[in-house]
Amino acid sequence: MAVKIKLKRLGKIRSPHYRIVVADSRTRRDGRAIEELGLYHPVQNPSRIEVNSERVQYWLGVGAQPTEPVMAILKVTGDWQKFKGQPAPPPMKVAEPKPDKRVLFEAAAKETGGEPRGEAITPKAKKAEKKADAEATEAPAESTEG
């Protein structure tokens, strides 16, 4: 039985998420897998790649063949070079941690000195202005008739 390490597609139409799986080469793309080895989310910036390195080394050692996209992912993570005995690649990019919203709010509050700089609420004058204009145009017309 030929075993492949390939991508199993999940997610919506325009937001794909993949799982790196070991499966029989005759199974369909999203079919039954022998084992899941990791995750790949290409839409995030930078792409999210999580791989169980121990299991990848095991499956490569027993003869599983990675597909081209999986081989590219393994080269980025350094697992392919580790298997071949080559030097490791440069480290992957890591997403910056998101700032805490509370800290941002407190910094903005200190910056303003605790006092509002303008109107906090915009007036809902559009409908009121239209009614007032309509009444103003109708009122003189009625008074001239009488």
Side-chain angles (χ1 to χ4, degrees):
M1 172 168 77
V3 177
K4 292 229 177 228
I5 302 174
K6 57 186 180 178
L7 294 176
K8 180 178 184 178
R9 190 178 198 277
L10 304 168
K12 298 178 190 174
I13 291 176
R14 287 179 183 78
S15 63
H17 299 348
Y18 297 94
R19 289 189 183 156
I20 301 169
V21 298
V22 176
D24 182 9
S25 63
R26 297 169 289 186
T27 60
R28 59 182 188 222
R29 178 189 71 181
D30 301 335
R32 194 169 127 211
I34 297 171
E35 183 179 354
E36 291 184 9
L37 301 177
L39 302 172
Y40 174 53
H41 297 270
V43 178
Q44 295 179 358
N45 190 14
S47 298
R48 180 178 169 203
I49 300 173
E50 294 179 13
V51 178
N52 185 348
S53 186
E54 289 179 14
R55 297 305 296 164
V56 168
Q57 295 302 319
Y58 167 78
W59 283 105
L60 290 173
V62 295
Q65 296 296 313
T67 60
E68 288 183 26
V70 172
M71 189 178 294
I73 291 171
L74 295 179
K75 285 181 180 178
V76 169
T77 60
D79 291 318
W80 184 252
Q81 289 87 339
K82 188 175 180 182
F83 174 68
K84 289 293 187 178
Q86 299 171 351
M92 295 190 309
K93 293 181 183 176
V94 179
E96 296 178 11
K98 293 183 180 179
D100 187 23
K101 290 183 180 181
R102 180 173 294 229
V103 173
L104 291 175
F105 175 76
E106 290 172 358
K110 284 182 183 177
E111 189 175 296
T112 60
E115 296 195 21
R117 291 188 176 171
E119 289 292 324
I121 301 173
T122 56
K124 296 183 180 178
K126 291 183 180 179
K127 289 183 180 177
E129 285 179 14
K130 287 182 182 178
K131 287 183 180 178
D133 289 340
E135 290 175 4
T137 55
E138 292 176 11
E142 292 175 8
S143 62
T144 55
E145 291 178 16

mmCIF file of all heavy atoms in Angstrom, residues 41-69:
data_model
loop_
_atom_site.group_PDB
_atom_site.id
_atom_site.type_symbol
_atom_site.label_atom_id
_atom_site.label_comp_id
_atom_site.label_asym_id
_atom_site.label_seq_id
_atom_site.Cartn_x
_atom_site.Cartn_y
_atom_site.Cartn_z
ATOM 1 N N HIS A 41 -3.098 26.940 7.714
ATOM 2 C CA HIS A 41 -4.103 27.958 7.434
ATOM 3 C C HIS A 41 -3.448 29.041 6.583
ATOM 4 O O HIS A 41 -2.805 29.951 7.114
ATOM 5 C CB HIS A 41 -4.643 28.571 8.734
ATOM 6 C CG HIS A 41 -5.349 27.583 9.594
ATOM 7 N ND1 HIS A 41 -6.696 27.342 9.492
ATOM 8 C CD2 HIS A 41 -4.906 26.754 10.570
ATOM 9 C CE1 HIS A 41 -7.044 26.420 10.370
ATOM 10 N NE2 HIS A 41 -5.973 26.046 11.031
ATOM 11 N N PRO A 42 -3.584 28.980 5.257
ATOM 12 C CA PRO A 42 -2.879 29.925 4.391
ATOM 13 C C PRO A 42 -3.454 31.331 4.374
ATOM 14 O O PRO A 42 -2.776 32.271 3.973
ATOM 15 C CB PRO A 42 -3.004 29.287 3.008
ATOM 16 C CG PRO A 42 -4.255 28.494 3.083
ATOM 17 C CD PRO A 42 -4.337 27.998 4.494
ATOM 18 N N VAL A 43 -4.682 31.533 4.819
ATOM 19 C CA VAL A 43 -5.329 32.841 4.723
ATOM 20 C C VAL A 43 -4.787 33.804 5.774
ATOM 21 O O VAL A 43 -4.729 35.007 5.544
ATOM 22 C CB VAL A 43 -6.859 32.685 4.835
ATOM 23 C CG1 VAL A 43 -7.561 34.017 4.792
ATOM 24 C CG2 VAL A 43 -7.364 31.790 3.724
ATOM 25 N N GLN A 44 -4.385 33.287 6.931
ATOM 26 C CA GLN A 44 -3.869 34.155 7.984
ATOM 27 C C GLN A 44 -2.540 34.766 7.559
ATOM 28 O O GLN A 44 -1.831 34.229 6.715
ATOM 29 C CB GLN A 44 -3.676 33.361 9.278
ATOM 30 C CG GLN A 44 -4.962 32.858 9.852
ATOM 31 C CD GLN A 44 -4.744 32.062 11.129
ATOM 32 O OE1 GLN A 44 -3.625 31.864 11.568
ATOM 33 N NE2 GLN A 44 -5.829 31.595 11.705
ATOM 34 N N ASN A 45 -2.211 35.914 8.145
ATOM 35 C CA ASN A 45 -0.971 36.578 7.786
ATOM 36 C C ASN A 45 -0.114 36.737 9.026
ATOM 37 O O ASN A 45 -0.491 37.482 9.918
ATOM 38 C CB ASN A 45 -1.254 37.942 7.172
ATOM 39 C CG ASN A 45 -0.026 38.572 6.574
ATOM 40 O OD1 ASN A 45 0.986 37.916 6.379
ATOM 41 N ND2 ASN A 45 -0.126 39.848 6.286
ATOM 42 N N PRO A 46 1.012 36.095 9.175
ATOM 43 C CA PRO A 46 1.594 35.077 8.305
ATOM 44 C C PRO A 46 0.831 33.760 8.421
ATOM 45 O O PRO A 46 0.083 33.554 9.375
ATOM 46 C CB PRO A 46 3.019 34.927 8.849
ATOM 47 C CG PRO A 46 2.928 35.308 10.276
ATOM 48 C CD PRO A 46 1.863 36.372 10.338
ATOM 49 N N SER A 47 1.021 32.889 7.454
ATOM 50 C CA SER A 47 0.284 31.624 7.429
ATOM 51 C C SER A 47 0.544 30.828 8.701
ATOM 52 O O SER A 47 1.661 30.783 9.199
ATOM 53 C CB SER A 47 0.720 30.783 6.229
ATOM 54 O OG SER A 47 0.426 31.449 5.042
ATOM 55 N N ARG A 48 -0.508 30.213 9.194
ATOM 56 C CA ARG A 48 -0.383 29.402 10.410
ATOM 57 C C ARG A 48 -0.026 27.977 10.010
ATOM 58 O O ARG A 48 -0.761 27.318 9.283
ATOM 59 C CB ARG A 48 -1.695 29.427 11.181
ATOM 60 C CG ARG A 48 -1.670 28.618 12.436
ATOM 61 C CD ARG A 48 -2.987 28.745 13.162
ATOM 62 N NE ARG A 48 -3.072 27.781 14.228
ATOM 63 C CZ ARG A 48 -4.200 27.356 14.735
ATOM 64 N NH1 ARG A 48 -5.344 27.819 14.274
ATOM 65 N NH2 ARG A 48 -4.208 26.476 15.704
ATOM 66 N N ILE A 49 1.121 27.523 10.496
ATOM 67 C CA ILE A 49 1.583 26.165 10.213
ATOM 68 C C ILE A 49 1.932 25.501 11.536
ATOM 69 O O ILE A 49 2.767 26.001 12.278
ATOM 70 C CB ILE A 49 2.821 26.165 9.296
ATOM 71 C CG1 ILE A 49 2.511 26.842 7.969
ATOM 72 C CG2 ILE A 49 3.305 24.745 9.071
ATOM 73 C CD1 ILE A 49 3.712 27.031 7.089
ATOM 74 N N GLU A 50 1.276 24.398 11.831
ATOM 75 C CA GLU A 50 1.581 23.603 13.012
ATOM 76 C C GLU A 50 1.787 22.164 12.552
ATOM 77 O O GLU A 50 0.918 21.592 11.903
ATOM 78 C CB GLU A 50 0.438 23.651 14.020
ATOM 79 C CG GLU A 50 0.205 25.009 14.628
ATOM 80 C CD GLU A 50 -0.959 25.013 15.601
ATOM 81 O OE1 GLU A 50 -1.431 23.923 15.993
ATOM 82 O OE2 GLU A 50 -1.397 26.121 15.954
ATOM 83 N N VAL A 51 2.957 21.602 12.887
ATOM 84 C CA VAL A 51 3.278 20.248 12.458
ATOM 85 C C VAL A 51 3.822 19.471 13.651
ATOM 86 O O VAL A 51 4.659 19.979 14.402
ATOM 87 C CB VAL A 51 4.334 20.280 11.320
ATOM 88 C CG1 VAL A 51 4.713 18.883 10.914
ATOM 89 C CG2 VAL A 51 3.810 21.037 10.125
ATOM 90 N N ASN A 52 3.346 18.226 13.806
ATOM 91 C CA ASN A 52 3.877 17.325 14.821
ATOM 92 C C ASN A 52 5.136 16.690 14.230
ATOM 93 O O ASN A 52 5.086 15.717 13.490
ATOM 94 C CB ASN A 52 2.835 16.265 15.179
ATOM 95 C CG ASN A 52 3.279 15.385 16.314
ATOM 96 O OD1 ASN A 52 4.439 15.397 16.707
ATOM 97 N ND2 ASN A 52 2.338 14.612 16.839
ATOM 98 N N SER A 53 6.280 17.257 14.586
ATOM 99 C CA SER A 53 7.553 16.887 13.967
ATOM 100 C C SER A 53 7.918 15.417 14.193
ATOM 101 O O SER A 53 8.421 14.756 13.288
ATOM 102 C CB SER A 53 8.653 17.793 14.508
ATOM 103 O OG SER A 53 9.858 17.547 13.826
ATOM 104 N N GLU A 54 7.661 14.901 15.387
ATOM 105 C CA GLU A 54 7.994 13.503 15.684
ATOM 106 C C GLU A 54 7.267 12.551 14.745
ATOM 107 O O GLU A 54 7.859 11.615 14.194
ATOM 108 C CB GLU A 54 7.624 13.159 17.122
ATOM 109 C CG GLU A 54 8.496 13.797 18.164
ATOM 110 C CD GLU A 54 8.041 13.407 19.571
ATOM 111 O OE1 GLU A 54 7.240 12.457 19.707
ATOM 112 O OE2 GLU A 54 8.485 14.072 20.519
ATOM 113 N N ARG A 55 5.968 12.783 14.567
ATOM 114 C CA ARG A 55 5.180 11.882 13.721
ATOM 115 C C ARG A 55 5.548 12.026 12.248
ATOM 116 O O ARG A 55 5.547 11.041 11.507
ATOM 117 C CB ARG A 55 3.689 12.137 13.921
ATOM 118 C CG ARG A 55 3.210 11.856 15.331
ATOM 119 C CD ARG A 55 3.551 10.446 15.804
ATOM 120 N NE ARG A 55 2.871 9.429 14.998
ATOM 121 C CZ ARG A 55 3.198 8.141 14.981
ATOM 122 N NH1 ARG A 55 4.183 7.691 15.720
ATOM 123 N NH2 ARG A 55 2.534 7.301 14.224
ATOM 124 N N VAL A 56 5.889 13.247 11.822
ATOM 125 C CA VAL A 56 6.317 13.445 10.432
ATOM 126 C C VAL A 56 7.606 12.666 10.182
ATOM 127 O O VAL A 56 7.742 11.976 9.153
ATOM 128 C CB VAL A 56 6.506 14.949 10.121
ATOM 129 C CG1 VAL A 56 7.212 15.139 8.799
ATOM 130 C CG2 VAL A 56 5.175 15.657 10.112
ATOM 131 N N GLN A 57 8.563 12.744 11.122
ATOM 132 C CA GLN A 57 9.818 12.010 10.963
ATOM 133 C C GLN A 57 9.575 10.506 10.914
ATOM 134 O O GLN A 57 10.196 9.791 10.122
ATOM 135 C CB GLN A 57 10.783 12.364 12.109
ATOM 136 C CG GLN A 57 11.231 13.801 12.131
ATOM 137 C CD GLN A 57 11.911 14.225 10.843
ATOM 138 O OE1 GLN A 57 12.696 13.482 10.263
ATOM 139 N NE2 GLN A 57 11.584 15.419 10.379
ATOM 140 N N TYR A 58 8.626 10.033 11.725
ATOM 141 C CA TYR A 58 8.303 8.608 11.709
ATOM 142 C C TYR A 58 7.766 8.197 10.341
ATOM 143 O O TYR A 58 8.242 7.223 9.753
ATOM 144 C CB TYR A 58 7.279 8.268 12.801
ATOM 145 C CG TYR A 58 6.690 6.891 12.627
ATOM 146 C CD1 TYR A 58 7.408 5.760 13.000
ATOM 147 C CD2 TYR A 58 5.433 6.712 12.045
ATOM 148 C CE1 TYR A 58 6.879 4.497 12.815
ATOM 149 C CE2 TYR A 58 4.906 5.457 11.861
ATOM 150 C CZ TYR A 58 5.631 4.347 12.249
ATOM 151 O OH TYR A 58 5.115 3.091 12.048
ATOM 152 N N TRP A 59 6.773 8.938 9.834
ATOM 153 C CA TRP A 59 6.143 8.556 8.569
ATOM 154 C C TRP A 59 7.100 8.690 7.389
ATOM 155 O O TRP A 59 7.073 7.868 6.470
ATOM 156 C CB TRP A 59 4.862 9.345 8.332
ATOM 157 C CG TRP A 59 3.727 8.827 9.149
ATOM 158 C CD1 TRP A 59 3.186 9.390 10.261
ATOM 159 C CD2 TRP A 59 3.021 7.603 8.945
ATOM 160 N NE1 TRP A 59 2.187 8.602 10.766
ATOM 161 C CE2 TRP A 59 2.055 7.497 9.976
ATOM 162 C CE3 TRP A 59 3.106 6.584 8.005
ATOM 163 C CZ2 TRP A 59 1.196 6.412 10.069
ATOM 164 C CZ3 TRP A 59 2.225 5.506 8.103
ATOM 165 C CH2 TRP A 59 1.295 5.427 9.124
ATOM 166 N N LEU A 60 7.963 9.703 7.412
ATOM 167 C CA LEU A 60 8.968 9.804 6.348
ATOM 168 C C LEU A 60 9.952 8.640 6.446
ATOM 169 O O LEU A 60 10.393 8.102 5.423
ATOM 170 C CB LEU A 60 9.707 11.138 6.438
ATOM 171 C CG LEU A 60 8.903 12.380 6.068
ATOM 172 C CD1 LEU A 60 9.703 13.639 6.377
ATOM 173 C CD2 LEU A 60 8.490 12.357 4.613
ATOM 174 N N GLY A 61 10.257 8.216 7.661
ATOM 175 C CA GLY A 61 11.190 7.101 7.870
ATOM 176 C C GLY A 61 10.657 5.762 7.392
ATOM 177 O O GLY A 61 11.430 4.911 6.946
ATOM 178 N N VAL A 62 9.349 5.564 7.469
ATOM 179 C CA VAL A 62 8.777 4.283 7.015
ATOM 180 C C VAL A 62 8.375 4.331 5.547
ATOM 181 O O VAL A 62 7.814 3.362 5.041
ATOM 182 C CB VAL A 62 7.571 3.842 7.886
ATOM 183 C CG1 VAL A 62 8.024 3.548 9.297
ATOM 184 C CG2 VAL A 62 6.455 4.852 7.865
ATOM 185 N N GLY A 63 8.643 5.436 4.867
ATOM 186 C CA GLY A 63 8.457 5.459 3.423
ATOM 187 C C GLY A 63 7.280 6.248 2.897
ATOM 188 O O GLY A 63 6.970 6.164 1.704
ATOM 189 N N ALA A 64 6.597 7.018 3.717
ATOM 190 C CA ALA A 64 5.477 7.825 3.217
ATOM 191 C C ALA A 64 6.027 8.947 2.341
ATOM 192 O O ALA A 64 7.020 9.589 2.683
ATOM 193 C CB ALA A 64 4.685 8.412 4.380
ATOM 194 N N GLN A 65 5.366 9.177 1.212
ATOM 195 C CA GLN A 65 5.820 10.194 0.263
ATOM 196 C C GLN A 65 4.969 11.458 0.407
ATOM 197 O O GLN A 65 3.746 11.393 0.261
ATOM 198 C CB GLN A 65 5.692 9.677 -1.178
ATOM 199 C CG GLN A 65 6.587 8.498 -1.474
ATOM 200 C CD GLN A 65 8.051 8.884 -1.378
ATOM 201 O OE1 GLN A 65 8.466 9.897 -1.907
ATOM 202 N NE2 GLN A 65 8.827 8.066 -0.669
ATOM 203 N N PRO A 66 5.589 12.613 0.669
ATOM 204 C CA PRO A 66 4.801 13.849 0.748
ATOM 205 C C PRO A 66 4.455 14.367 -0.642
ATOM 206 O O PRO A 66 5.226 14.211 -1.590
ATOM 207 C CB PRO A 66 5.731 14.816 1.474
ATOM 208 C CG PRO A 66 7.098 14.309 1.187
ATOM 209 C CD PRO A 66 6.972 12.817 1.033
ATOM 210 N N THR A 67 3.293 14.976 -0.765
ATOM 211 C CA THR A 67 2.930 15.630 -2.020
ATOM 212 C C THR A 67 3.732 16.925 -2.118
ATOM 213 O O THR A 67 4.370 17.355 -1.153
ATOM 214 C CB THR A 67 1.421 15.937 -2.072
ATOM 215 O OG1 THR A 67 1.097 16.795 -0.976
ATOM 216 C CG2 THR A 67 0.590 14.665 -2.001
ATOM 217 N N GLU A 68 3.697 17.588 -3.280
ATOM 218 C CA GLU A 68 4.491 18.808 -3.474
ATOM 219 C C GLU A 68 4.123 19.927 -2.497
ATOM 220 O O GLU A 68 5.011 20.549 -1.913
ATOM 221 C CB GLU A 68 4.369 19.288 -4.911
ATOM 222 C CG GLU A 68 5.105 18.399 -5.890
ATOM 223 C CD GLU A 68 5.041 18.926 -7.318
ATOM 224 O OE1 GLU A 68 4.893 20.150 -7.487
ATOM 225 O OE2 GLU A 68 5.149 18.112 -8.227
ATOM 226 N N PRO A 69 2.818 20.221 -2.295
ATOM 227 C CA PRO A 69 2.499 21.275 -1.328
ATOM 228 C C PRO A 69 2.953 20.941 0.095
ATOM 229 O O PRO A 69 3.435 21.804 0.820
ATOM 230 C CB PRO A 69 0.976 21.383 -1.384
ATOM 231 C CG PRO A 69 0.563 20.729 -2.641
ATOM 232 C CD PRO A 69 1.611 19.741 -2.975
#
